[in-house]
Amino acid sequence: MVDDCFADPRLAALYDPLDSDRSDLDVYVGIAEEFGARSVVDIGCGTGVFALLLADRGIEVVGVDPAEASLDVARGKPGAGRVRWMRGDAAALPPLTVDLATMTANVAQAILDPGDWRGTLRGAREALRPGGRLVFETRDPARRAWEEWTRERSRRVTEVPGFGAVETWFELLEVRLPLVSFRSNFVFGADGAVLTSESTLRFRERGEVEADLLAEGFVVDEVRDAPDRPGREFVFVARRP
């Protein structure tokens, strides 16, 4: 099940304007350069921001996502023809041999079912060449990020071209670790429309993720800190032997 914020065409079109600061992707661009990646599969590519950053650098990119509305946004961007866009998930990729597989932002945490998660890791491994790497991030549960997901701490109003003023905020629904559920609220000033999207994220402990990677045939080379969010997230760098 894809969250409405990615699957609803109106909300998918808002994703980039409401999250315009994507400096969080700088670390992944740097990692692609660090490992000399010439081919990448971006799992959960969404509206294609990261995939297009890589394509602009001459890297061959496959962007895969289950949300057709998000892919429609990606396909409409300048340079989108340089990326191979696919609807689906990592568990059902066609035959690939890439240098790097990535899951940025909330992608890894949005895979809730343990079987689906293991299938994603398995699919990523099969897509990598020997020596290729899987890199992804997940929040450290000890930092309790969900405590910030309240109207008081998240409410803002953004002027969006073509939409006018859009008021947004988060509302925490349930904490039943390792799962945390919340609602994203969108109020359109132009016509008064109110849309919502409910989401659930899985907060995995570092040891759990490492064990899952090992079970699916990866070597965990290192677990880094996210430089723009120090102490808040784990960035896993795993390698296919």
Side-chain angles (χ1 to χ4, degrees):
M1 181 70 70
V2 180
D3 298 345
D4 284 345
C5 58
F6 307 114
D8 183 293
R10 191 173 189 183
L11 294 182
L14 284 175
Y15 185 85
D16 291 335
L18 294 180
D19 190 17
S20 58
D21 179 8
R22 295 311 310 272
S23 57
D24 61 301
L25 297 175
D26 293 345
V27 63
Y28 289 94
V29 172
I31 286 172
E33 294 174 348
E34 174 187 349
F35 295 134
R38 303 310 305 159
S39 54
V40 176
V41 57
D42 185 24
I43 300 166
C45 67
T47 57
V49 176
F50 180 56
L52 289 168
L53 284 173
L54 295 178
D56 286 345
R57 288 161 172 78
I59 296 173
E60 180 181 336
V61 187
V62 176
V64 58
D65 198 278
E68 188 66 34
S70 293
L71 289 174
D72 285 343
V73 174
R75 294 185 184 107
K77 292 182 176 180
R82 297 195 298 267
V83 177
R84 180 183 176 188
W85 306 105
M86 299 176 51
R87 182 179 182 182
D89 56 43
L93 289 171
L96 297 173
T97 306
V98 300
D99 300 322
L100 180 67
T102 58
M103 291 185 282
T104 66
N106 289 331
V107 171
Q109 288 188 256
I111 304 168
L112 307 181
D113 179 78
D116 291 342
W117 171 240
R118 295 284 290 272
T120 297
L121 297 180
R122 193 175 308 122
R125 183 186 182 280
E126 291 173 356
L128 288 167
R129 64 165 174 79
R133 293 172 175 87
L134 167 64
V135 181
F136 62 93
E137 66 187 66
T138 184
R139 291 181 176 90
D140 182 354
R143 293 302 299 267
R144 301 175 65 85
W146 56 85
E147 293 180 347
E148 301 176 6
W149 301 344
T150 65
R151 179 178 180 130
E152 293 74 21
R153 301 186 70 168
S154 63
R155 179 188 175 277
R156 61 191 176 108
V157 178
T158 306
E159 286 288 338
V160 181
F163 289 90
V166 181
E167 180 185 7
T168 58
W169 71 92
F170 298 124
E171 177 184 354
L172 187 63
L173 299 178
E174 183 179 43
V175 178
R176 187 176 292 181
L177 293 176
L179 302 180
V180 177
S181 299
F182 62 98
R183 179 182 294 121
S184 302
N185 299 274
F186 306 84
V187 180
F188 296 81
D191 59 8
V194 178
L195 298 180
T196 62
S197 176
E198 294 189 4
S199 304
T200 299
L201 299 179
R202 189 177 189 97
F203 283 74
R204 299 178 176 89
E205 300 287 350
R206 172 175 172 167
E208 176 188 359
V209 177
E210 290 179 329
D212 289 343
L213 286 165
L214 291 172
E216 293 304 329
F218 283 98
V219 174
V220 180
D221 283 339
E222 57 184 316
V223 182
R224 302 181 179 182
D225 203 11
D228 59 327
R229 300 171 295 274
R232 298 176 66 88
E233 296 186 346
F234 305 121
V235 179
F236 290 87
V237 181
R239 174 172 43 86
R240 175 177 178 171

